[in-house]
Amino acid sequence: MQKRLKLTAPACVRLRKRLIMNDRLSYKEKKQLPDEVFGLPGLREYPMPDAAHVRAAEAYFRYCPEQFRPKLARAILERARMFGVDVESPVILSYAEK
């Protein structure tokens, strides 16, 4: 028989958020993130604290201003390697080489 953990309500919520995180962040959650998890840290845009957000950044890449695309593409690839996400977008791969 497997022993079950007893967690208080706040701990359950925190644990659940870490394990099952979707690609949406509240303003409060985004504000608490360190600059280095953003694709564009100076603008604090394209947060990528986990694999779901790396995929979201990949999906929203087309909305990035042209002058920031090479930097964002490299950041997406770097964070994707950290989380084991396969980035197959030829557009992102070509911008990362610039």
Side-chain angles (χ1 to χ4, degrees):
M1 186 176 194
Q2 197 174 27
K3 190 174 183 179
R4 294 185 65 152
L5 292 174
K6 288 189 176 184
L7 299 173
T8 63
C12 288
V13 172
R14 282 194 306 270
L15 181 63
R16 215 175 302 130
K17 279 186 180 178
R18 271 187 273 150
L19 294 176
I20 306 169
M21 192 166 199
N22 63 21
D23 65 348
R24 301 250 177 197
L25 288 173
S26 69
Y27 172 77
K28 184 178 177 183
E29 290 169 328
K30 186 177 175 183
K31 190 175 174 183
Q32 292 174 348
L33 292 174
D35 286 344
E36 57 268 8
V37 302
F38 288 89
L40 299 173
L43 302 173
R44 290 187 62 85
E45 291 292 327
Y46 299 93
M48 295 181 277
D50 56 27
H53 286 86
V54 172
R55 290 184 197 98
E58 183 180 2
Y60 289 104
F61 181 80
R62 65 178 175 248
Y63 299 112
C64 180
E66 184 67 34
Q67 70 266 27
F68 299 120
R69 285 185 180 184
K71 184 176 182 172
L72 179 58
R74 288 189 294 273
I76 289 172
L77 292 177
E78 180 183 327
R79 299 296 289 181
R81 276 191 292 273
M82 288 177 70
F83 295 112
V85 175
D86 291 327
V87 176
E88 298 176 3
S89 168
V91 174
I92 291 176
L93 295 173
S94 70
Y95 272 101
E97 294 173 356
K98 292 182 181 181

